[in-house]
Amino acid sequence: MIPSVNDPGSRTIGLLAYLYGPGKHEEHTDPHLIASFDGLSPDPGRHRHATLKDLQQLLDQPVQALPQHARPAKHVWHTSVRATADDRILTDEEWAGIARRIVTATGIDPGTDRPGCRWAAVRHAEDHIHIVATLVCEDGSRPDDYRSGKRAQAECRLIEKELGLHRIAPGDGTAARRPTSAERHKAQRQGRQRTAREELRETVRRAVAGAQDEAEFFDRLAGAGLLIRKRTAPSGDLLGYKVALPEDRNKDGEPVFYPGARLAPDLSLPRIRERWSADAPDQGAPTEAWVQAAPRGPAAARRRTASAAWNAVLLVEHGQDAVAAAHIAAAGEVLDALAKTSAAHTRGELREAARAFERASRCHVRAERGADRALRQAARDLIYGGPALGRGEDGATTAMAIDMLAFLITAAVHWHAKQGHAQQAAAAKKTAEHLRAAYETAAAHPLGALHQRGRSLGYPVLQRQATVLREALPDLAGQVLAEPRWYALAATLADVDAAGHDTAALLADAAGSRELGTAQSLSDVLVWRLRHSAGLPADTSDTLPGTPAAEQAAPHAGQRAPGRYGPGRGRT
């Protein structure tokens, strides 16, 4: 159940006209009163002789009783209370009870012999109601409606439990502001799928990803086509900024600007500066010279991203809370950068993953900025590595990076759950779903090529790789050999062996250095971990079938290739 308390208004009659009207798109059906402060208020929707003016005058009576100079300019309180799509259809009586509880909890009509405001609850759809009240009590005083939005949220959590409705995760005040109803209606009129606030928040978030300083940040905003206003002190120091979409105008034709802090709590200039202030390299961190000398291009950037994500998992799982919070926040930058630079066939899911994770990237645990330097550098590498192709090494390393990031996001789910951050944990779970979808798309071609190479390996080679697997991972070997992508792992093990590595040791390290319990395919995870740690090409689609040295022929006639149950163990 979702309450949405709006900013106070000035015209009761205007709000009533909307509630009892047809709606912007004729979506209002059977508008009628379900509850009111006295239970006797006229209902323009059901009573033949009742008018909107009658209801307005009744609600406004305490306001009009005050001297003109004492009347509040914004005296109309308005909230909607909406059921979720999973909830059953509630009766008018149930909605009436909900309305009474909301006005009591928010201080609009507290009861218990204390003066209250006049209010009315209107229903014009199956899934929600509106409550309108005038912010002057019967005795002329003002109600105690401080933080009425949070109080309404808390009461809705109790209502959900008592009525057996869908339980919404409680928030902690770190979520970005939701678009107002006016902003949503404006977007609908202009034919936009999202509001200006939402588009600006995503654009600013992407501009922050991997940026090193203010100049680069504002250059990116300008490059994205946003209008920018900077707020400076008399000394000339920059204090803040606002942004606007060029096409988003008010009734006077002026751009509608949003300060960064009103887009999201972590997009204010002081909060963004915290990231930059901690970017000076420490001992053991890559120096600028090393970064400049590192291989360039999308594939190289994705390999470094995989490394940074791989190392971050352990810090989120076992590090201090401030360090974990920093890495989780920086993971959001990596997702934004990856979505911005990836090929079209994975970009959609990656963008949805980044949007979902935006909620998971903030909490009340103060992040230790600087600890996240490697992930922020990875985001920067992705941006400066340029757009990736959806094939070849670019496409395969995209799958590798997504695979590593999926484990980092899963670690974030567990960390938030342990901290009691219900909304953030739910957002991270949603992110993981989008990453899985993006991974399947990105991995299909490179793993398909590895699978075909594995199927073409000679029987002795497959037998040898299965033996190595059983020796290195005795507890997991049976599960891996039963997976469809075992052949891709077999081809990778052959490549590792041909490259001169200790295959068993590398395999044991790949399986033991991070958890595998959340993996949907152990073979996939081991393929990418091995190819990453051994420095092997991620894409082998141009490699001839067989081992790298092409020493083995296809299985001899009469020889049975290892199947789901491993070499020589039953069905193929």
Side-chain angles (χ1 to χ4, degrees):
M1 185 152 290
I2 307 166
S4 180
V5 178
N6 295 277
D7 294 333
S10 57
R11 294 183 66 246
T12 308
I13 190 67
L15 178 55
L16 291 175
Y18 168 73
L19 298 181
Y20 277 94
K24 298 290 184 181
H25 303 285
E26 305 289 335
E27 71 274 21
H28 295 174
T29 58
D30 187 24
H32 59 281
L33 203 70
I34 57 167
S36 66
F37 70 100
D38 61 356
L40 301 172
S41 300
D43 180 6
R46 294 285 177 84
H47 299 161
R48 281 183 58 188
H49 301 294
T51 65
L52 295 178
K53 190 69 175 176
D54 294 334
L55 183 55
Q56 174 260 316
Q57 288 178 340
L58 181 65
L59 296 175
D60 280 345
Q61 209 167 62
V63 180
Q64 298 300 319
L66 294 175
Q68 183 71 37
H69 69 276
R71 298 173 188 170
K74 302 283 188 179
H75 70 275
V76 183
W77 185 87
H78 170 221
T79 185
S80 62
V81 185
R82 186 178 299 274
T84 70
D86 298 328
D87 286 330
R88 59 184 171 83
I89 297 174
L90 302 177
T91 65
D92 278 357
E93 290 73 21
E94 288 174 314
W95 276 120
I98 291 169
R100 295 187 187 97
R101 293 183 62 168
I102 293 296
V103 295
T104 300
T106 54
I108 295 299
D109 190 3
T112 63
D113 300 326
R114 286 184 290 170
C117 301
R118 296 189 174 187
W119 59 273
V122 178
R123 182 181 189 181
H124 57 207
E126 290 183 337
D127 63 348
H128 71 277
I129 61 170
H130 293 261
I131 306 172
V132 54
T134 47
L135 292 173
V136 175
C137 298
E138 295 286 1
D139 63 355
S141 63
R142 295 295 302 272
D144 176 19
D145 63 333
Y146 177 66
R147 295 170 71 94
S148 59
K150 289 188 176 296
R151 289 151 74 175
Q153 290 281 358
E155 188 65 22
C156 280
R157 302 295 80 79
L158 297 175
I159 293 171
E160 291 163 356
K161 183 177 180 180
E162 293 174 20
L163 295 185
L165 304 176
H166 177 77
R167 305 283 291 277
I168 294 177
D172 62 358
T174 61
R177 284 195 181 189
R178 293 188 181 195
T180 66
S181 58
E183 291 170 349
R184 290 194 298 270
H185 292 149
K186 185 177 184 180
Q188 290 172 358
R189 290 196 304 271
Q190 295 176 346
R192 296 202 309 263
Q193 291 185 338
R194 298 193 298 157
T195 64
R197 181 192 297 272
E198 291 168 315
E199 290 186 19
L200 288 169
R201 181 165 61 241
E202 183 168 324
T203 303
V204 173
R205 209 178 62 232
R206 288 182 181 174
V208 173
Q212 275 192 322
D213 51 35
E214 290 177 11
E216 183 177 3
F217 171 59
F218 286 114
D219 282 347
R220 290 187 185 182
L221 293 181
L226 301 189
L227 304 178
I228 307 166
R229 280 185 185 171
K230 300 179 182 179
R231 183 166 60 91
T232 57
S235 63
D237 294 334
L238 183 61
L239 299 177
Y241 72 99
K242 298 179 179 180
V243 288
L245 296 175
E247 66 275 14
D248 184 36
R249 306 271 170 166
N250 61 19
K251 57 183 177 60
D252 298 320
E254 299 171 339
V256 180
F257 282 89
Y258 292 82
R262 292 188 62 189
L263 297 176
D266 56 344
L267 294 182
S268 67
L269 189 58
R271 293 291 300 276
I272 293 174
R273 280 172 170 162
E274 290 177 5
R275 315 183 196 197
W276 300 326
S277 65
D279 274 349
D282 58 8
Q283 265 190 330
T287 63
E288 189 64 27
W290 180 90
V291 171
Q292 290 176 357
R296 294 287 180 177
R302 278 152 173 74
R303 281 186 174 271
R304 291 196 290 273
T305 298
S307 295
W310 174 260
N311 294 326
V313 173
L314 191 63
L315 295 171
V316 172
E317 289 177 338
H318 304 294
Q320 297 178 347
D321 286 343
V323 173
H327 282 87
I328 290 172
E333 294 191 44
V334 174
L335 288 172
D336 280 319
L338 191 62
K340 184 176 181 179
T341 59
S342 290
H345 68 303
T346 56
R347 191 181 307 141
E349 289 290 353
L350 289 173
R351 281 182 174 174
E352 290 302 320
R355 287 170 185 165
F357 197 73
E358 187 261 346
R359 180 66 189 97
S361 65
R362 290 186 304 272
C363 65
H364 283 304
V365 177
R366 188 72 172 179
E368 184 180 318
R369 289 299 186 180
D372 58 348
R373 190 175 296 112
L375 278 177
R376 294 206 68 244
Q377 181 62 49
R380 184 172 180 81
D381 289 344
L382 288 168
I383 297 295
Y384 282 90
L389 300 173
R391 61 184 183 277
E393 194 70 6
D394 285 5
T397 51
T398 297
M400 177 186 290
I402 295 172
D403 181 69
M404 302 288 190
L405 281 168
F407 281 91
L408 177 56
I409 299 310
T410 301
V413 173
H414 296 159
W415 185 83
H416 278 306
K418 184 174 66 176
Q419 299 289 328
H421 303 157
Q423 288 190 353
Q424 288 91 334
K429 283 184 180 178
K430 191 69 175 176
T431 303
E433 293 174 8
H434 288 298
L435 284 180
R436 280 194 290 271
Y439 170 78
E440 289 299 330
T441 302
H445 183 73
L447 283 182
L450 278 170
H451 179 83
Q452 291 303 316
R453 286 187 54 224
R455 292 293 295 249
S456 300
L457 290 172
Y459 179 75
V461 177
L462 284 169
Q463 185 85 357
R464 184 166 64 248
Q465 304 312 334
T467 300
V468 170
L469 177 68
R470 290 195 182 95
E471 291 175 352
L473 307 177
D475 295 334
L476 298 176
Q479 180 180 345
V480 173
L481 290 168
E483 291 180 344
R485 283 174 172 166
W486 145 247
Y487 287 104
L489 177 58
T492 295
L493 291 172
D495 290 345
V496 171
D497 186 50
H501 296 284
D502 184 336
T503 308
L506 208 60
L507 183 58
D509 181 67
S513 56
R514 299 293 185 275
E515 62 89 22
L516 286 170
T518 57
Q520 291 190 317
S521 169
L522 297 181
S523 300
D524 284 29
V525 174
L526 293 172
V527 163
W528 298 123
R529 290 184 182 182
L530 285 169
R531 304 199 78 82
H532 177 264
S533 56
L536 298 172
D539 176 60
T540 64
S541 56
D542 292 334
T543 305
L544 292 174
T547 62
E551 295 174 345
Q552 299 293 334
H556 298 300
Q559 287 186 322
R560 180 164 44 86
R564 290 176 53 88
Y565 299 91
R569 295 182 61 201
R571 292 173 294 175
T572 60

